[in-house]
Amino acid sequence: MQPQVIIGLNAVIVAVTEEVPRILTVQRAEHALAEQMPGEGARDEEVLEALPFGPFDPVSDRTLELGLRRWVREQTGLELGYVEQLY
């Protein structure tokens, strides 16, 4: 039996504006890698900010880019334009 391989994808979505570049984050309470936003106090239901991320599912998505586009749309409601893979 071959070992199962899980591929996780992260998206950094940047908007370049006249003031400063902005990075899109999503609210996640359930993920261990999400961090509490500075200035936020402890609450019963902590809302944490993280980069959009999700698993690559080779059964559903033919390519890494299609998988990335699908779950970014599911998490943010955004349709991505230009996408570049960084190594």
Side-chain angles (χ1 to χ4, degrees):
M1 182 171 158
Q2 290 191 334
Q4 181 180 10
V5 176
I6 298 173
I7 299 172
L9 304 171
N10 293 297
V12 179
I13 302 168
V14 179
V16 180
T17 63
E18 290 184 21
E19 301 85 37
V20 295
R22 298 173 190 264
I23 308 267
L24 177 72
T25 59
V26 293
Q27 295 181 344
R28 292 194 175 272
E30 73 281 354
H31 198 277
L33 296 178
E35 294 186 12
Q36 187 172 353
M37 290 298 291
E40 296 289 322
R43 295 172 286 180
D44 291 339
E45 293 248 347
E46 290 187 22
V47 176
L48 305 174
E49 299 291 320
L51 294 174
F53 62 95
F56 171 62
D57 180 6
V59 174
S60 300
D61 304 306
R62 294 184 319 237
T63 66
L64 294 173
E65 182 178 334
L66 289 173
L68 176 96
R69 288 178 180 281
R70 177 184 50 78
W71 58 254
V72 166
R73 183 176 53 252
E74 290 171 1
Q75 291 179 25
T76 67
L78 296 175
E79 291 290 339
L80 295 178
Y82 176 74
V83 174
E84 182 175 336
Q85 179 180 348
L86 303 178
Y87 298 90

